[in-house]
Amino acid sequence: AQTVTQSQPEMSVQEAETVTLSCTYDTSENNYYLFWYKQPPSRQMILVIRQEAYKQQNATENRFSVNFQKAAKSFSLKISDSQLGDTAMYFCAFMKHERETSGSRLTFGEGTQLTVNP
Amino acid sequence: NAGVTQTPKFQVLKTGQSMTLQCAQDMNHEYMSWYRQDPGMGLRLIHYSVGAGITDQGEVPNGYNVSRSTTEDFPLRLLSAAPSQTSVYFCASRGLRDRYGYTFGSGTRLTVV
């Protein structure tokens, strides 16, 4: 079974600064996907960024980037130029690259509550 | 394009009552899942389905039933609600070859008193 751990329950950052959220995972699989989801107070789960394990290049999406260390099983999220709208709960998630009949379920970490201060 | 629609958004039940949380998607996705979200525990998988007529248990299935009679709908049934089922419930769906993970509904906040 896979496990995902987010060791920072809460973090805060000043507007316009950079913050990094940590995530580690445990798996024996070689082929998988990793995701960061954002959950603002509206409760909606929003995909921020994803990484395919077979790709060595770190994914980037505008101000969001990841540091994917496959050997260390680490997948951190860096938010640059933090904005007030980035205030949210952030979840790290793992998904095996399963055969089509198996469903490819998501396994989530506990979440990190990020607050961006003005 | 509505995506994943969950109803209701809020619900209060008395212990022992039954109810069904509705989930519908209009993206012709094969995979559908139900998760519950509790503070400090992230989201945990309750049940999932890989297609119409096929369902299986996730991590925390006790107290919940599901069925998948159509591709579009995946209702979650609580047969006899308990206070331990107080939670926020999310439905999510994904296409067979979609590598972008799951699309989530807006959630249902359920309180059992």
Side-chain angles (χ1 to χ4, degrees):
Chain A
Q2 283 66 233
T3 60
V4 178
T5 302
Q6 295 177 247
S7 58
Q8 306 152 314
E10 297 179 352
M11 293 191 71
S12 63
V13 64
Q14 293 298 122
E15 197 175 6
E17 293 187 346
T18 296
V19 64
T20 298
L21 308 184
S22 300
C23 173
T24 58
Y25 59 95
D26 188 21
T27 185
S28 58
E29 302 291 327
N30 189 51
N31 210 0
Y32 51 87
Y33 303 97
L34 294 163
F35 305 90
W36 279 99
Y37 282 91
K38 169 185 178 181
Q39 187 182 44
S42 68
R43 203 169 65 199
Q44 184 68 46
M45 294 288 287
I46 302 166
L47 178 64
V48 175
I49 198 165
R50 73 178 183 98
Q51 176 80 39
E52 294 169 86
Y54 71 87
K55 290 187 176 179
Q56 293 186 339
Q57 185 173 5
N58 289 324
T60 62
E61 289 287 344
N62 301 313
R63 297 183 295 107
F64 299 88
S65 61
V66 298
N67 183 2
F68 173 50
Q69 302 289 329
K70 190 173 183 180
K73 297 179 182 174
S74 171
F75 183 61
S76 60
L77 174 69
K78 185 171 82 171
I79 306 174
S80 304
D81 185 26
S82 297
Q83 300 176 359
L84 297 178
D86 294 333
T87 292
M89 181 72 82
Y90 287 82
F91 291 100
C92 178
F94 172 101
M95 185 174 80
K96 286 197 296 183
H97 187 277
E98 291 189 88
R99 292 184 307 139
E100 292 161 356
T101 55
S102 301
S104 297
R105 295 158 283 179
L106 281 168
T107 300
F108 286 87
E110 305 89 343
T112 297
Q113 175 63 48
L114 176 67
T115 301
V116 180
N117 299 308
Chain B
N1 190 344
V4 179
T5 302
Q6 284 185 243
T7 55
K9 295 192 183 306
F10 300 93
Q11 183 71 50
V12 178
L13 286 179
K14 294 182 178 179
T15 297
Q17 286 185 319
S18 63
M19 81 159 296
T20 299
L21 306 185
Q22 301 292 344
C23 176
Q25 52 92 8
D26 61 358
M27 298 171 283
N28 204 30
H29 284 170
E30 291 82 0
Y31 300 151
M32 295 187 76
S33 303
W34 277 102
Y35 292 86
R36 60 177 288 173
Q37 180 182 7
D38 302 292
M41 303 187 76
L43 280 76
R44 293 178 294 166
L45 182 65
I46 305 171
H47 285 286
Y48 67 99
S49 170
V50 300
I54 306 170
T55 63
D56 206 346
Q57 296 180 350
E59 184 183 356
V60 288
N62 292 340
Y64 308 95
N65 282 345
V66 292
S67 60
R68 184 102 178 265
S69 57
T70 67
T71 299
E72 295 78 18
D73 300 300
F74 191 44
L76 178 71
R77 298 184 184 85
L78 285 72
L79 297 179
S80 179
S84 61
Q85 294 178 304
T86 294
S87 188
V88 178
Y89 291 84
F90 286 95
C91 180
S93 73
R94 185 173 80 89
L96 188 65
R97 294 177 179 81
D98 185 354
R99 297 179 297 169
Y100 285 85
Y102 281 79
T103 300
F104 283 81
S106 57
T108 296
R109 179 175 292 279
L110 175 67
T111 303
V112 183
V113 298

